[in-house]
Amino acid sequence: MTDVEVLTIGEVLSVLLAEPGVPLGEASRFDLTYAGAEANVAVGLARLGHTVAFASRLGDDDQGRRVLRELRGEGVDVDAVALDRARPTGLLLRDTLPTGISVGYRRAGSAATALTPDDLPSDGLRGARVLHITGITAAISSSARATVLAAAHRARAVGVTVSFDPNIRMRLADAETWREITEELASLADVLLIGADDAAAIGVADPIAWGHERGASTVVLKDGGRGASESSGGQVWQQPAIRVPVVDPVGAGDAFAAGWLSGWLRGVEPERRLLEAAAVAACVVATRGDVPGLPDPARRDKVLVGSEAVAR
Ligand code: KDG
């Protein structure tokens, strides 16, 4: 693997997206796309001009090879993606109904559930500035959990910043397991990017204090349409969400994380990186699917300048 700024590890799934306005159980036409929290962040960062690698396992099947081609086409380094002959690429089916999105997972026994620490790029952290992980990968299997943990420990050992987003999906594990996963990984994170809904799901009332208590020097609280805040160096900054017509909110948190990490990597000030993150998230919620709306810097800046949002 060539030197990259960011390494992410996780499961990328083929996605069947039901035709607009039709519930999943009734749809007969679907768009085939792909998504996965860490892959969404990887593509988001690549489109914003960063070098990023994604480590995973995909099925050695048509879907796996297709996703691999798409990621490679985005400029994501996929040298550390293994193709597994024995297990399939995971599949997610969902709709985009404004009244509540239905999701169906077909990922039990997927190639990514067989991730082990041996799948980590042996030299992958050398030169990287950030390891970005989420709780989703830790929740799909015990060996995937061990992989994410090993990656975080290795990153810390060589001084690579660990960025962690719990991304709690109650369909993948019970509340107690999520509490354990979130505690375990938050205590290894330098940067905690946490959704207000995720914090609520594990009974955390003050996510900023909670994150700092576990050792994160920076805590970014994402509160969807209510905006976001960052706490670092004893200061707190706030950013309202940028208002756009919401077409499909899925992937907004990952887009926000990519936008924020891009600002952090470029050394921009907290209020500016929160604003950039809000703009990247706005681009994604205004578009169907997790990945298509991820902007390049010119598009991000257009949304940012066009918004009336003011960093406070
Ligand atoms: O953050 C969006 C992701 O949740 C979605 O794209 C798929 O990673 C995914 C999951 O496990 O739900």
Side-chain angles (χ1 to χ4, degrees), residues 13-51:
L13 306 130
S14 285
V15 174
L16 286 173
L17 203 55
E19 55 199 307
V22 183
L24 184 57
E26 286 156 39
S28 51
R29 277 188 290 273
F30 292 82
D31 291 321
L32 177 60
T33 170
Y34 68 94
E38 303 84 355
N40 295 347
V41 171
V43 174
L45 283 165
R47 288 202 189 160
L48 291 170
H50 298 279
T51 51

mmCIF file of all heavy atoms in Angstrom, residues 13-51:
data_model
loop_
_atom_site.group_PDB
_atom_site.id
_atom_site.type_symbol
_atom_site.label_atom_id
_atom_site.label_comp_id
_atom_site.label_asym_id
_atom_site.label_seq_id
_atom_site.Cartn_x
_atom_site.Cartn_y
_atom_site.Cartn_z
ATOM 1 N N LEU A 13 -21.101 -2.719 1.397
ATOM 2 C CA LEU A 13 -22.163 -3.613 0.952
ATOM 3 C C LEU A 13 -22.680 -3.185 -0.421
ATOM 4 O O LEU A 13 -22.702 -1.992 -0.735
ATOM 5 C CB LEU A 13 -23.340 -3.542 1.938
ATOM 6 C CG LEU A 13 -23.018 -3.793 3.403
ATOM 7 C CD1 LEU A 13 -23.604 -2.672 4.268
ATOM 8 C CD2 LEU A 13 -23.577 -5.119 3.857
ATOM 9 N N SER A 14 -23.163 -4.151 -1.196
ATOM 10 C CA SER A 14 -23.973 -3.797 -2.354
ATOM 11 C C SER A 14 -25.295 -3.289 -1.808
ATOM 12 O O SER A 14 -25.792 -3.816 -0.804
ATOM 13 C CB SER A 14 -24.251 -5.027 -3.219
ATOM 14 O OG SER A 14 -23.113 -5.371 -3.942
ATOM 15 N N VAL A 15 -25.850 -2.290 -2.455
ATOM 16 C CA VAL A 15 -27.113 -1.722 -1.966
ATOM 17 C C VAL A 15 -28.145 -1.735 -3.086
ATOM 18 O O VAL A 15 -27.859 -1.311 -4.207
ATOM 19 C CB VAL A 15 -26.910 -0.269 -1.464
ATOM 20 C CG1 VAL A 15 -28.254 0.369 -1.086
ATOM 21 C CG2 VAL A 15 -25.968 -0.235 -0.266
ATOM 22 N N LEU A 16 -29.325 -2.239 -2.764
ATOM 23 C CA LEU A 16 -30.461 -2.130 -3.673
ATOM 24 C C LEU A 16 -31.380 -1.063 -3.107
ATOM 25 O O LEU A 16 -31.950 -1.231 -2.024
ATOM 26 C CB LEU A 16 -31.186 -3.472 -3.801
ATOM 27 C CG LEU A 16 -30.441 -4.519 -4.635
ATOM 28 C CD1 LEU A 16 -31.143 -5.876 -4.562
ATOM 29 C CD2 LEU A 16 -30.317 -4.075 -6.099
ATOM 30 N N LEU A 17 -31.480 0.040 -3.838
ATOM 31 C CA LEU A 17 -32.233 1.208 -3.386
ATOM 32 C C LEU A 17 -33.573 1.236 -4.114
ATOM 33 O O LEU A 17 -33.620 1.349 -5.342
ATOM 34 C CB LEU A 17 -31.396 2.447 -3.727
ATOM 35 C CG LEU A 17 -31.610 3.730 -2.968
ATOM 36 C CD1 LEU A 17 -31.482 3.542 -1.472
ATOM 37 C CD2 LEU A 17 -30.592 4.771 -3.468
ATOM 38 N N ALA A 18 -34.652 1.093 -3.345
ATOM 39 C CA ALA A 18 -35.979 1.028 -3.961
ATOM 40 C C ALA A 18 -36.315 2.317 -4.707
ATOM 41 O O ALA A 18 -35.871 3.405 -4.320
ATOM 42 C CB ALA A 18 -37.025 0.772 -2.881
ATOM 43 N N GLU A 19 -37.114 2.188 -5.744
ATOM 44 C CA GLU A 19 -37.515 3.364 -6.534
ATOM 45 C C GLU A 19 -38.124 4.421 -5.600
ATOM 46 O O GLU A 19 -38.760 4.077 -4.592
ATOM 47 C CB GLU A 19 -38.525 2.941 -7.606
ATOM 48 C CG GLU A 19 -39.748 2.222 -7.049
ATOM 49 C CD GLU A 19 -40.489 1.418 -8.102
ATOM 50 O OE1 GLU A 19 -40.833 1.993 -9.133
ATOM 51 O OE2 GLU A 19 -40.725 0.214 -7.875
ATOM 52 N N PRO A 20 -37.923 5.714 -5.928
ATOM 53 C CA PRO A 20 -38.357 6.785 -5.028
ATOM 54 C C PRO A 20 -39.841 6.699 -4.694
ATOM 55 O O PRO A 20 -40.671 6.416 -5.558
ATOM 56 C CB PRO A 20 -38.072 8.068 -5.824
ATOM 57 C CG PRO A 20 -37.058 7.683 -6.841
ATOM 58 C CD PRO A 20 -37.273 6.233 -7.144
ATOM 59 N N GLY A 21 -40.145 6.915 -3.428
ATOM 60 C CA GLY A 21 -41.534 7.003 -2.994
ATOM 61 C C GLY A 21 -42.222 5.668 -2.755
ATOM 62 O O GLY A 21 -43.379 5.635 -2.352
ATOM 63 N N VAL A 22 -41.536 4.548 -3.025
ATOM 64 C CA VAL A 22 -42.175 3.234 -2.891
ATOM 65 C C VAL A 22 -41.552 2.501 -1.704
ATOM 66 O O VAL A 22 -40.330 2.401 -1.594
ATOM 67 C CB VAL A 22 -42.004 2.405 -4.195
ATOM 68 C CG1 VAL A 22 -42.724 1.068 -4.071
ATOM 69 C CG2 VAL A 22 -42.498 3.187 -5.399
ATOM 70 N N PRO A 23 -42.400 1.985 -0.788
ATOM 71 C CA PRO A 23 -41.839 1.249 0.366
ATOM 72 C C PRO A 23 -41.087 -0.005 -0.078
ATOM 73 O O PRO A 23 -41.462 -0.632 -1.083
ATOM 74 C CB PRO A 23 -43.075 0.867 1.190
ATOM 75 C CG PRO A 23 -44.218 1.628 0.624
ATOM 76 C CD PRO A 23 -43.870 2.054 -0.760
ATOM 77 N N LEU A 24 -40.084 -0.358 0.698
ATOM 78 C CA LEU A 24 -39.220 -1.506 0.358
ATOM 79 C C LEU A 24 -40.035 -2.768 0.055
ATOM 80 O O LEU A 24 -39.759 -3.479 -0.920
ATOM 81 C CB LEU A 24 -38.255 -1.756 1.529
ATOM 82 C CG LEU A 24 -37.211 -2.842 1.347
ATOM 83 C CD1 LEU A 24 -36.342 -2.579 0.122
ATOM 84 C CD2 LEU A 24 -36.335 -2.954 2.592
ATOM 85 N N GLY A 25 -41.046 -3.015 0.860
ATOM 86 C CA GLY A 25 -41.834 -4.239 0.687
ATOM 87 C C GLY A 25 -42.682 -4.251 -0.573
ATOM 88 O O GLY A 25 -43.220 -5.300 -0.937
ATOM 89 N N GLU A 26 -42.826 -3.095 -1.213
ATOM 90 C CA GLU A 26 -43.670 -3.039 -2.414
ATOM 91 C C GLU A 26 -42.896 -2.698 -3.670
ATOM 92 O O GLU A 26 -43.454 -2.749 -4.778
ATOM 93 C CB GLU A 26 -44.772 -1.993 -2.205
ATOM 94 C CG GLU A 26 -45.849 -2.489 -1.256
ATOM 95 C CD GLU A 26 -46.600 -1.354 -0.592
ATOM 96 O OE1 GLU A 26 -46.868 -0.346 -1.276
ATOM 97 O OE2 GLU A 26 -46.903 -1.486 0.610
ATOM 98 N N ALA A 27 -41.636 -2.327 -3.520
ATOM 99 C CA ALA A 27 -40.868 -1.873 -4.695
ATOM 100 C C ALA A 27 -40.539 -3.033 -5.615
ATOM 101 O O ALA A 27 -40.264 -4.144 -5.162
ATOM 102 C CB ALA A 27 -39.576 -1.201 -4.227
ATOM 103 N N SER A 28 -40.585 -2.773 -6.912
ATOM 104 C CA SER A 28 -40.150 -3.806 -7.857
ATOM 105 C C SER A 28 -38.987 -3.309 -8.709
ATOM 106 O O SER A 28 -38.383 -4.073 -9.438
ATOM 107 C CB SER A 28 -41.309 -4.267 -8.737
ATOM 108 O OG SER A 28 -41.943 -3.151 -9.295
ATOM 109 N N ARG A 29 -38.695 -2.020 -8.608
ATOM 110 C CA ARG A 29 -37.525 -1.504 -9.327
ATOM 111 C C ARG A 29 -36.515 -0.950 -8.315
ATOM 112 O O ARG A 29 -36.902 -0.238 -7.377
ATOM 113 C CB ARG A 29 -37.949 -0.412 -10.307
ATOM 114 C CG ARG A 29 -38.452 -0.994 -11.623
ATOM 115 C CD ARG A 29 -38.675 0.115 -12.631
ATOM 116 N NE ARG A 29 -39.823 0.912 -12.240
ATOM 117 C CZ ARG A 29 -41.078 0.616 -12.578
ATOM 118 N NH1 ARG A 29 -41.321 -0.422 -13.319
ATOM 119 N NH2 ARG A 29 -42.070 1.385 -12.178
ATOM 120 N N PHE A 30 -35.286 -1.274 -8.521
ATOM 121 C CA PHE A 30 -34.223 -0.896 -7.571
ATOM 122 C C PHE A 30 -33.009 -0.369 -8.331
ATOM 123 O O PHE A 30 -32.713 -0.853 -9.428
ATOM 124 C CB PHE A 30 -33.766 -2.131 -6.769
ATOM 125 C CG PHE A 30 -34.803 -2.655 -5.818
ATOM 126 C CD1 PHE A 30 -35.813 -3.497 -6.257
ATOM 127 C CD2 PHE A 30 -34.760 -2.310 -4.471
ATOM 128 C CE1 PHE A 30 -36.767 -3.989 -5.384
ATOM 129 C CE2 PHE A 30 -35.711 -2.797 -3.588
ATOM 130 C CZ PHE A 30 -36.722 -3.632 -4.035
ATOM 131 N N ASP A 31 -32.331 0.597 -7.742
ATOM 132 C CA ASP A 31 -31.016 1.007 -8.260
ATOM 133 C C ASP A 31 -29.963 0.213 -7.506
ATOM 134 O O ASP A 31 -30.039 0.104 -6.270
ATOM 135 C CB ASP A 31 -30.773 2.502 -7.996
ATOM 136 C CG ASP A 31 -31.682 3.368 -8.839
ATOM 137 O OD1 ASP A 31 -31.908 3.012 -10.011
ATOM 138 O OD2 ASP A 31 -32.168 4.391 -8.312
ATOM 139 N N LEU A 32 -28.986 -0.294 -8.235
ATOM 140 C CA LEU A 32 -27.884 -1.010 -7.577
ATOM 141 C C LEU A 32 -26.749 -0.028 -7.318
ATOM 142 O O LEU A 32 -26.248 0.625 -8.242
ATOM 143 C CB LEU A 32 -27.389 -2.165 -8.450
ATOM 144 C CG LEU A 32 -26.198 -2.940 -7.893
ATOM 145 C CD1 LEU A 32 -26.502 -3.575 -6.540
ATOM 146 C CD2 LEU A 32 -25.742 -4.010 -8.880
ATOM 147 N N THR A 33 -26.394 0.087 -6.044
ATOM 148 C CA THR A 33 -25.300 0.988 -5.682
ATOM 149 C C THR A 33 -24.502 0.311 -4.556
ATOM 150 O O THR A 33 -24.582 -0.899 -4.408
ATOM 151 C CB THR A 33 -25.872 2.387 -5.321
ATOM 152 O OG1 THR A 33 -24.872 3.196 -4.747
ATOM 153 C CG2 THR A 33 -27.034 2.323 -4.348
ATOM 154 N N TYR A 34 -23.755 1.048 -3.803
ATOM 155 C CA TYR A 34 -23.000 0.455 -2.700
ATOM 156 C C TYR A 34 -22.902 1.470 -1.569
ATOM 157 O O TYR A 34 -23.087 2.675 -1.786
ATOM 158 C CB TYR A 34 -21.592 0.011 -3.149
ATOM 159 C CG TYR A 34 -20.678 1.159 -3.509
ATOM 160 C CD1 TYR A 34 -19.801 1.710 -2.576
ATOM 161 C CD2 TYR A 34 -20.700 1.710 -4.786
ATOM 162 C CE1 TYR A 34 -18.972 2.777 -2.905
ATOM 163 C CE2 TYR A 34 -19.878 2.785 -5.124
ATOM 164 C CZ TYR A 34 -19.031 3.308 -4.182
ATOM 165 O OH TYR A 34 -18.225 4.365 -4.515
ATOM 166 N N ALA A 35 -22.627 0.985 -0.370
ATOM 167 C CA ALA A 35 -22.492 1.866 0.794
ATOM 168 C C ALA A 35 -21.871 1.086 1.940
ATOM 169 O O ALA A 35 -21.739 -0.137 1.887
ATOM 170 C CB ALA A 35 -23.859 2.399 1.227
ATOM 171 N N GLY A 36 -21.567 1.796 2.960
ATOM 172 C CA GLY A 36 -20.949 1.227 4.167
ATOM 173 C C GLY A 36 -20.292 2.403 4.854
ATOM 174 O O GLY A 36 -19.624 3.208 4.186
ATOM 175 N N ALA A 37 -20.487 2.525 6.152
ATOM 176 C CA ALA A 37 -20.080 3.747 6.839
ATOM 177 C C ALA A 37 -18.625 4.152 6.529
ATOM 178 O O ALA A 37 -18.354 5.300 6.174
ATOM 179 C CB ALA A 37 -20.288 3.574 8.333
ATOM 180 N N GLU A 38 -17.700 3.193 6.660
ATOM 181 C CA GLU A 38 -16.280 3.554 6.489
ATOM 182 C C GLU A 38 -15.948 3.805 5.017
ATOM 183 O O GLU A 38 -15.137 4.677 4.691
ATOM 184 C CB GLU A 38 -15.367 2.460 7.052
ATOM 185 C CG GLU A 38 -15.608 2.134 8.525
ATOM 186 C CD GLU A 38 -16.744 1.136 8.741
ATOM 187 O OE1 GLU A 38 -17.414 0.754 7.760
ATOM 188 O OE2 GLU A 38 -16.963 0.745 9.901
ATOM 189 N N ALA A 39 -16.572 3.032 4.123
ATOM 190 C CA ALA A 39 -16.340 3.253 2.690
ATOM 191 C C ALA A 39 -16.914 4.610 2.271
ATOM 192 O O ALA A 39 -16.326 5.308 1.432
ATOM 193 C CB ALA A 39 -16.964 2.121 1.875
ATOM 194 N N ASN A 40 -18.054 4.987 2.856
ATOM 195 C CA ASN A 40 -18.618 6.308 2.551
ATOM 196 C C ASN A 40 -17.620 7.406 2.934
ATOM 197 O O ASN A 40 -17.417 8.370 2.192
ATOM 198 C CB ASN A 40 -19.923 6.545 3.340
ATOM 199 C CG ASN A 40 -21.045 5.601 2.947
ATOM 200 O OD1 ASN A 40 -20.966 4.915 1.942
ATOM 201 N ND2 ASN A 40 -22.095 5.568 3.758
ATOM 202 N N VAL A 41 -17.010 7.243 4.107
ATOM 203 C CA VAL A 41 -16.022 8.240 4.545
ATOM 204 C C VAL A 41 -14.809 8.233 3.607
ATOM 205 O O VAL A 41 -14.285 9.285 3.229
ATOM 206 C CB VAL A 41 -15.593 7.983 6.018
ATOM 207 C CG1 VAL A 41 -14.418 8.866 6.415
ATOM 208 C CG2 VAL A 41 -16.770 8.213 6.956
ATOM 209 N N ALA A 42 -14.400 7.017 3.201
ATOM 210 C CA ALA A 42 -13.233 6.917 2.305
ATOM 211 C C ALA A 42 -13.507 7.639 0.978
ATOM 212 O O ALA A 42 -12.680 8.435 0.508
ATOM 213 C CB ALA A 42 -12.895 5.447 2.048
ATOM 214 N N VAL A 43 -14.668 7.391 0.397
ATOM 215 C CA VAL A 43 -14.985 8.048 -0.884
ATOM 216 C C VAL A 43 -15.135 9.560 -0.672
ATOM 217 O O VAL A 43 -14.658 10.366 -1.482
ATOM 218 C CB VAL A 43 -16.266 7.444 -1.510
ATOM 219 C CG1 VAL A 43 -16.685 8.219 -2.752
ATOM 220 C CG2 VAL A 43 -16.047 5.969 -1.855
ATOM 221 N N GLY A 44 -15.765 9.930 0.447
ATOM 222 C CA GLY A 44 -15.921 11.363 0.740
ATOM 223 C C GLY A 44 -14.572 12.060 0.798
ATOM 224 O O GLY A 44 -14.379 13.130 0.213
ATOM 225 N N LEU A 45 -13.620 11.442 1.486
ATOM 226 C CA LEU A 45 -12.290 12.047 1.604
ATOM 227 C C LEU A 45 -11.571 12.070 0.255
ATOM 228 O O LEU A 45 -10.906 13.051 -0.086
ATOM 229 C CB LEU A 45 -11.463 11.281 2.638
ATOM 230 C CG LEU A 45 -11.830 11.588 4.089
ATOM 231 C CD1 LEU A 45 -11.235 10.550 5.033
ATOM 232 C CD2 LEU A 45 -11.345 12.984 4.485
ATOM 233 N N ALA A 46 -11.704 10.972 -0.503
ATOM 234 C CA ALA A 46 -11.030 10.920 -1.812
ATOM 235 C C ALA A 46 -11.571 12.033 -2.719
ATOM 236 O O ALA A 46 -10.806 12.730 -3.388
ATOM 237 C CB ALA A 46 -11.224 9.547 -2.453
ATOM 238 N N ARG A 47 -12.897 12.222 -2.712
ATOM 239 C CA ARG A 47 -13.465 13.283 -3.574
ATOM 240 C C ARG A 47 -13.020 14.668 -3.127
ATOM 241 O O ARG A 47 -12.960 15.598 -3.920
ATOM 242 C CB ARG A 47 -14.987 13.186 -3.579
ATOM 243 C CG ARG A 47 -15.458 11.984 -4.367
ATOM 244 C CD ARG A 47 -16.880 12.128 -4.834
ATOM 245 N NE ARG A 47 -17.329 10.877 -5.400
ATOM 246 C CZ ARG A 47 -18.599 10.536 -5.559
ATOM 247 N NH1 ARG A 47 -19.554 11.388 -5.213
ATOM 248 N NH2 ARG A 47 -18.931 9.378 -6.082
ATOM 249 N N LEU A 48 -12.727 14.785 -1.834
ATOM 250 C CA LEU A 48 -12.256 16.088 -1.335
ATOM 251 C C LEU A 48 -10.751 16.262 -1.536
ATOM 252 O O LEU A 48 -10.170 17.232 -1.075
ATOM 253 C CB LEU A 48 -12.638 16.247 0.143
ATOM 254 C CG LEU A 48 -14.149 16.403 0.399
ATOM 255 C CD1 LEU A 48 -14.456 16.299 1.887
ATOM 256 C CD2 LEU A 48 -14.667 17.728 -0.157
ATOM 257 N N GLY A 49 -10.127 15.294 -2.190
ATOM 258 C CA GLY A 49 -8.725 15.461 -2.581
ATOM 259 C C GLY A 49 -7.723 14.797 -1.665
ATOM 260 O O GLY A 49 -6.521 15.059 -1.781
ATOM 261 N N HIS A 50 -8.183 13.928 -0.766
ATOM 262 C CA HIS A 50 -7.248 13.281 0.167
ATOM 263 C C HIS A 50 -6.866 11.888 -0.305
ATOM 264 O O HIS A 50 -7.604 11.248 -1.051
ATOM 265 C CB HIS A 50 -7.870 13.220 1.562
ATOM 266 C CG HIS A 50 -8.138 14.583 2.115
ATOM 267 N ND1 HIS A 50 -7.151 15.356 2.713
ATOM 268 C CD2 HIS A 50 -9.254 15.348 2.093
ATOM 269 C CE1 HIS A 50 -7.672 16.517 3.056
ATOM 270 N NE2 HIS A 50 -8.937 16.548 2.691
ATOM 271 N N THR A 51 -5.722 11.424 0.183
ATOM 272 C CA THR A 51 -5.317 10.059 -0.115
ATOM 273 C C THR A 51 -5.839 9.165 1.001
ATOM 274 O O THR A 51 -5.668 9.449 2.192
ATOM 275 C CB THR A 51 -3.780 9.947 -0.220
ATOM 276 O OG1 THR A 51 -3.192 10.530 0.944
ATOM 277 C CG2 THR A 51 -3.267 10.662 -1.458
#
